[in-house]
Every structure is written in C-alpha cells, then in structure tokens.
Amino acid sequence: MSDQPGAHVPTSVSEVARQFLAAPASDRATYPALTDAPAWSRLIDITNSALRERFSGFDFPVEVQDTKIAGVRTFVLNLRGMSTEKTPIYLDLHGGALIAGGGELCRLISSATAMINGMITWGVDYRMPPSHPYPAALDDCVAVYRALLEEREPSDIFVGGGSAGGNLAAALLVRAKEEGLPMPAALVLLSPEADLTESGDSFFTNRLFDNVLGSLHDVNLLYADGHDLSDPHLSPLFADLVGFPPTFLQSGTRDLFLSNTVRMHRRLRSAGVEAELHVFEAMPHGGFGGTSPEDLEMCAEMRRFLDRHRRKG
Amino acid sequence: MSDQPGAHVPTSVSEVARQFLAAPASDRATYPALTDAPAWSRLIDITNSALRERFSGFDFPVEVQDTKIAGVRTFVLNLRGMSTEKTPIYLDLHGGALIAGGGELCRLISSATAMINGMITWGVDYRMPPSHPYPAALDDCVAVYRALLEEREPSDIFVGGGSAGGNLAAALLVRAKEEGLPMPAALVLLSPEADLTESGDSFFTNRLFDNVLGSLHDVNLLYADGHDLSDPHLSPLFADLVGFPPTFLQSGTRDLFLSNTVRMHRRLRSAGVEAELHVFEAMPHGGFGGTSPEDLEMCAEMRRFLDRHRRKG
C-alpha cells in the first residue's frame, strides 16, 4: 500500500472507476492574492483547459441556439429530433467552482445534461469573477428563471446543477422564495457546493481520498467579494428550505462534498421536503470521468427522478 | 490537530455528537484463534458488557413476553397502552457482530426498537457462535419469520435490523425468496453488515474515523464456520435482490459500514426496488450513542418510513 492514502484503489467499483481512482490527485492549486485579477484569469484558463479535456472527442447530437435571455447569454439545447412542443425546460447551471466552466464549456456541460434529461435545456452562461463577483452569477440565474416562468408553467420547469452549479441552483430557489416566485417542479443537486464555509466533516475526512477536488476556500472568497460566506445566498445549506420542491441529491463516498450533500439532504428532509439521496461507492467529486458504469447509473437515476416529476399527459 | 485523524471533531454536528466523536476509538480487539471457544466466550462477555452500558439507566415502558416461537427464544414487546389488535408486527434482529447482543441485551435492543416503530416488536434471540455458527442464526430467523406469517398478512409484517441484525434481516429475505415465502411490507437496514468479506472502500477510508468499529474479519470467519464469506446467505450484498420490498437504509459519513450501506442501496435500486438512503453527517457506526439530536432525527425518519408503508385502514 502506498504512503498516499488516496492511492488505494478499491475492488468494489468498475474497472473504469478503478483506473480513474488510480490517477494521482490533481495538483492542489496555489491561489493568487484576491486582488490579482490577471493571475486569477490565468488560473481560470488552466482550469478551463482541464475541463475541456473531459469533453474532447464528444460530439453531442444536440441543436444549439446561442442566445440572450433577459440579457444573459444562454444556450438553448435540444436533442436532435426531440419534440419541443410542451416539452419541459430544464434550467442547467454549470459547475466550475464559480469561476470556470463558462462560454463554450457551458455549452458542452449543458449539452451533456441535455443528453440525459429528455427536456429542453437552458444552459446559463452566468457572469463570474474576477470581473463579476457575487451577486452577478446569482442575479443572472434569477433573471433567466424569471424569463423561463414566462415560457412555461412551474410544473414544466426543472432546475439543476453540479458542484458550483448546485450552489447556484439552490441559491436561486432561495431567492425565488424571497421574491415570491413559484418553485419549479423539481430540483437536481449533483455534489452541490452548498456550503462555501467548507464546515462539513468530509472536507477533513476525504481530503486525501478525493483525487479531483481540494479546498476552494480562496476561490470562495474571490466569489464572495467581501460578503459573508455563511450568508444563505452564498451557502444555501444555511437557508430556510421550507417549500423547496422535490430534490434529487448525488454524491460519492470519496467526495470532498459528501458532507455538503448529506447535510443538504438532511436539511431538506427536516424542512419537510421530499428529497432523495444517492451516494456512489468510492466516487470522488463529479464522478469517475463521466462514462463509467457508475456515472451512467447515476444518469439513469436522475432521468427516472425527472420522469417521475414530469406532469402527466 | 492531533496526529490521530479520528480525533478531529467537526463543528457541523450537535454538541452531544461532538462529545461522542471526541472519545478515542474503542480498542481494536485482538481476536482469539478460531478454535479457542473459551477465549471467544470471554471476548463476547466483554463485548456484551460494553453494549449493556449503553442501556444502563433506561427503563423502557414496554410490556415484555419472554417466549419461544418456533423453538426460538423471542421477546414479544409492546409499548404499554398500545393497542395490539391488528397492529403490524416488526421482526427485529439485534446487532452485536453476529456473536454478541443476545439474551437480556436482545430484550433491551428490541425494546428500543419498539419505542420508535409503533408496532408490536418480536426480538429474536437467535443462536450464535462459538457454539452455534452459521447457519444457526439465519435458520432461527427464518423459523420465526415462518411463524410470523401464520400470525399476520405479509402487508402487516416488517423486518429490520442494525449492523449484524441488518445482515440477518437481508439474508432472511434472501432465504424467504428461495423458499417461496412472501416478502414483508418493508425492510429496515441500519448500517447493515451486508458484506462479510469487507470489500467496501469505507473499510479503508473510514478505518481511522469510525471510533466505534474496526474490522470484524476474524469474527466473520468464526460465524462462517468454513462457509464462503461471499455466499449471498452470509453477505446478502451479493444476492439477487429482485423482488425485495421497499427498504430504508441508514449510515453516516464516518461509518465503517458506509460502503456496505450505499452499495446495498445501489444494488437494491439496480434491482428495481424502492429504497431510500439516509446518511448522517460525521456519524460513526450505530449513531452518536442513541440520544443525540441526530439519532432522534434518524428514528423520526424511520418511523415516517414505516408509517408510510403500513396498510391503510
């Protein structure tokens, strides 16, 4: 056994997952000073390159409209050949630590979502730091959600996101509640960054086992731009979640955000919300690369959840 | 921070839970040779004393009948004052690593179950090693389940257990399927010892964080008595779970059996079974001592699940 605990590869997962877990942990970034915008931009470029690699070679069979909705660049994505009349719309908020995953990557990430949800997908290319810290991203999400409510009944609207997108998806519903907007039919939170204070136990216990993600504390400060990290709009884990719609939550036993996810599940349950939790064996943050049997099983669970909450008839 | 990773106490749990987590890990037993029955008996006595401590000072308001059902000592437990006519019966299989928790402890453990399930509880004092290895315990559970089917419709029968009791509860339903017996209305698996081979990743990742439980490999060999540990009757994780009833599963992020639990959840879901997973923040195997807010929240979730699966009217 190696000295590096994360190098232990379990036998209890698929061969693809084992190969993924055998890879050494990604370098833990040394973050620039909060005021050094050019250095942050360089770091974001590097992060985006790494994200882009995941999608290289994929050619999603989706029709793309690159458009502006409520002033926010939004990709409207349809599986080729899928009927769009009366089809529900899924508002998809991309991940990338609240600093990366925008532009072309937003299109790719939301295209992947469109492959599994059986709905029209709106991928919101929300503004991000260093130029646009909090509340720009959340304001953009709220603006697009308001526009979406003009297009569809709430029962035909779904909201979801992974990682940083899970932060924004939950925070969006916190804002929607405050602003008197109706809730969507359901919410999807994939390993959500629900707590920017990183107070959960898995930030400690999984720090050597998650080979994808390390602490994002400095990034969170850049995003917060002086706002309190524990504010429910920045860390929706601490919001009043009463009235939230049925919620699907996913994590893995090696996920740095395992505590984010199970705590959000418990908070939703305590608020009387129908919420289902799926935790995958030995899975780090964000899955085993996207095409492992376990990733596909997760997609199937998510699709089943969405189908169950679609309006009948 | 201490050199002992398990000594890290998170701020994300209740004060009672923090006190529980601050306690050093229990000594990892050095197990006797498999053939040294007297040494095993001494070890079992020590284990039982530790278990008994948990219940000292409790005086459960339950009526107890100490009886034999199908030749197996069984405690029939009713909350005082609760109507028993047409009340469903909950077959409760106690924990204790398949070697401990019998006799008076079985009565206490199942009394605690009777406090939360709102049903009549049958606590099965199944036979155990070193005198009675596999399949004695499972045979006893099957015999009592057969007798229970004479008393109630399957829709008025519930089966559950924690830890080793979760092993037996799931293995009982594997046997019931094979023997053509009907399934109960629902199944409860609290941090189940679903895999006696201990192949799950959390046996590695949580070995320093669970301050309750260490590997039970030698105990499992004593129980198996030469049978293959991966046999589905010994490790129901590896059984065909198609046709299982709705199942409630509980674990914690520090639980040595976290992988047992989430893998069982996934196997049930893959078999098309309605199964809900509840994972508690920073919780080790078996909870935070039984009276923390988190433990009570778990009991409330379990009770809600049981009520939902009770026959209406």
Side-chain angles (χ1 to χ4, degrees):
Chain A
M1 193 180 297
S2 158
D3 281 351
Q4 166 66 10
H8 172 86
V9 174
T11 59
S12 49
V13 292
S14 71
E15 183 55 37
V16 177
R18 282 181 221 181
Q19 285 171 20
F20 191 91
L21 290 173
S26 55
D27 286 340
R28 301 309 185 210
T30 308
Y31 293 107
L34 291 180
T35 50
D36 189 351
W40 278 101
S41 293
R42 285 192 297 276
L43 180 75
I44 291 164
D45 285 345
I46 293 167
T47 307
N48 280 338
S49 298
L51 278 172
R52 210 169 289 122
E53 251 180 53
R54 177 162 175 162
F55 293 101
S56 73
F58 279 63
D59 183 19
F60 294 109
V62 292
E63 287 167 13
V64 184
Q65 292 174 60
D66 182 350
T67 184
K68 283 219 170 199
I69 295 176
V72 181
R73 188 185 189 191
T74 302
F75 297 96
V76 175
L77 304 156
N78 301 308
L79 260 192
R80 286 190 199 287
M82 189 180 72
S83 160
T84 57
E85 208 182 339
K86 293 186 185 167
T87 304
I89 296 178
Y90 186 104
L91 189 76
D92 190 44
L93 305 177
H94 69 79
L98 297 164
I99 54 170
E104 191 60 6
L105 272 166
C106 167
R107 181 183 68 76
L108 288 166
I109 293 168
S110 289
S111 294
T113 306
M115 296 292 292
I116 55 176
N117 62 14
M119 301 175 182
I120 299 167
T121 303
W122 285 16
V124 184
D125 191 10
Y126 52 80
R127 290 170 294 160
M128 292 186 286
S131 306
H132 303 285
Y134 176 86
L138 189 53
D139 284 346
D140 286 353
C141 295
V142 173
V144 176
Y145 185 66
R146 279 187 178 276
L148 181 45
L149 287 165
E150 305 289 316
E151 293 283 326
R152 287 290 189 280
E153 297 291 323
S155 56
D156 286 329
I157 294 175
F158 294 76
V159 172
S163 193
N167 174 297
L168 290 169
L172 163 60
L173 297 202
V174 172
R175 280 277 296 273
K177 267 182 65 175
E178 290 168 354
E179 298 179 19
L181 303 175
M183 290 290 108
L187 173 66
V188 172
L189 301 177
L190 308 177
S191 188
E193 194 177 10
D195 171 17
L196 296 188
T197 75
E198 303 194 339
S199 63
D201 194 39
S202 67
F203 286 96
F204 178 75
T205 56
N206 274 342
R207 73 200 186 291
L208 299 178
F209 297 120
D210 188 325
N211 65 346
V212 172
L213 199 61
S215 169
L216 296 168
H217 179 67
D218 289 0
V219 183
N220 298 344
L221 290 176
L222 183 76
Y223 172 75
D225 192 32
H227 292 85
D228 183 354
L229 290 175
S230 67
D231 182 305
H233 302 95
L234 289 98
S235 294
L237 178 65
F238 306 120
D240 173 7
L241 303 175
V242 170
F244 261 50
T247 303
F248 177 97
L249 301 106
Q250 175 275 335
S251 186
T253 63
R254 289 195 176 202
D255 188 350
L256 194 75
F257 289 177
L258 175 62
S259 288
N260 279 348
T261 310
V262 306
R263 293 172 79 196
M264 193 72 183
H265 181 239
R266 295 254 49 83
R267 293 267 305 151
L268 286 162
R269 293 294 306 135
S270 295
V273 175
E274 183 188 332
E276 59 178 74
L277 174 67
H278 298 273
V279 179
F280 287 76
E281 167 73 347
M283 189 179 272
H285 182 66
F288 291 124
T291 55
S292 73
E294 290 86 348
D295 285 290
L296 300 179
E297 192 183 326
M298 197 287 286
C299 293
E301 275 284 17
M302 176 177 151
R303 174 63 180 262
R304 178 204 48 73
F305 170 83
L306 293 173
D307 284 351
R308 190 157 61 83
H309 290 284
R310 276 175 83 143
R311 201 148 54 114
K312 305 299 176 284
Chain B
M1 195 179 298
S2 158
D3 281 348
Q4 165 67 10
H8 172 86
V9 174
T11 59
S12 49
V13 292
S14 70
E15 183 55 37
V16 177
R18 283 180 220 182
Q19 285 170 20
F20 191 91
L21 290 174
S26 56
D27 287 338
R28 302 308 185 209
T30 308
Y31 293 107
L34 291 180
T35 50
D36 189 351
W40 278 101
S41 293
R42 284 192 297 276
L43 180 74
I44 291 164
D45 285 344
I46 293 167
T47 306
N48 279 337
S49 298
L51 278 172
R52 210 170 288 121
E53 253 180 50
R54 176 162 175 162
F55 294 101
S56 72
F58 278 62
D59 183 17
F60 294 110
V62 291
E63 288 168 12
V64 184
Q65 291 174 61
D66 183 349
T67 184
K68 285 220 170 196
I69 295 177
V72 181
R73 189 187 189 190
T74 303
F75 297 97
V76 175
L77 305 155
N78 301 307
L79 261 192
R80 285 190 201 287
M82 189 181 71
S83 160
T84 56
E85 206 182 338
K86 293 186 186 168
T87 304
I89 296 179
Y90 185 104
L91 189 74
D92 189 44
L93 304 176
H94 68 78
L98 296 164
I99 55 171
E104 190 61 7
L105 272 166
C106 168
R107 182 183 67 77
L108 288 165
I109 293 168
S110 289
S111 294
T113 306
M115 296 293 291
I116 55 175
N117 62 13
M119 300 176 183
I120 299 167
T121 302
W122 285 16
V124 183
D125 190 11
Y126 52 80
R127 290 169 295 161
M128 291 186 288
S131 306
H132 303 285
Y134 176 86
L138 188 52
D139 284 345
D140 286 354
C141 295
V142 173
V144 176
Y145 184 66
R146 278 187 178 276
L148 180 44
L149 287 164
E150 304 289 315
E151 293 282 325
R152 288 288 189 282
E153 297 289 325
S155 55
D156 286 330
I157 294 175
F158 293 76
V159 172
S163 194
N167 174 297
L168 290 168
L172 163 59
L173 297 201
V174 173
R175 280 277 296 271
K177 266 182 66 174
E178 289 168 353
E179 299 179 18
L181 302 176
M183 291 289 108
L187 174 65
V188 172
L189 301 176
L190 307 177
S191 189
E193 192 177 11
D195 172 17
L196 296 188
T197 74
E198 303 193 339
S199 63
D201 194 40
S202 68
F203 286 95
F204 177 75
T205 57
N206 274 342
R207 73 200 186 289
L208 300 176
F209 297 120
D210 188 324
N211 65 345
V212 171
L213 199 61
S215 168
L216 296 167
H217 178 68
D218 288 3
V219 182
N220 297 345
L221 290 176
L222 184 75
Y223 173 75
D225 193 32
H227 292 85
D228 183 354
L229 290 174
S230 66
D231 182 303
H233 302 95
L234 290 98
S235 293
L237 177 64
F238 305 121
D240 173 6
L241 304 174
V242 170
F244 262 50
T247 302
F248 177 97
L249 300 107
Q250 174 275 333
S251 186
T253 63
R254 288 195 177 204
D255 188 350
L256 195 74
F257 289 177
L258 174 61
S259 288
N260 279 347
T261 311
V262 305
R263 293 173 79 196
M264 193 72 184
H265 180 240
R266 295 255 48 86
R267 293 266 304 150
L268 287 161
R269 293 294 305 133
S270 294
V273 176
E274 183 188 332
E276 59 177 76
L277 175 67
H278 298 274
V279 178
F280 288 76
E281 166 74 347
M283 188 179 272
H285 183 66
F288 292 123
T291 55
S292 73
E294 289 87 347
D295 286 289
L296 300 180
E297 192 182 327
M298 197 287 287
C299 293
E301 275 284 15
M302 175 176 151
R303 174 62 179 263
R304 177 203 49 73
F305 170 84
L306 293 173
D307 284 352
R308 189 156 63 84
H309 290 284
R310 277 176 82 144
R311 200 148 54 113
K312 306 297 177 284

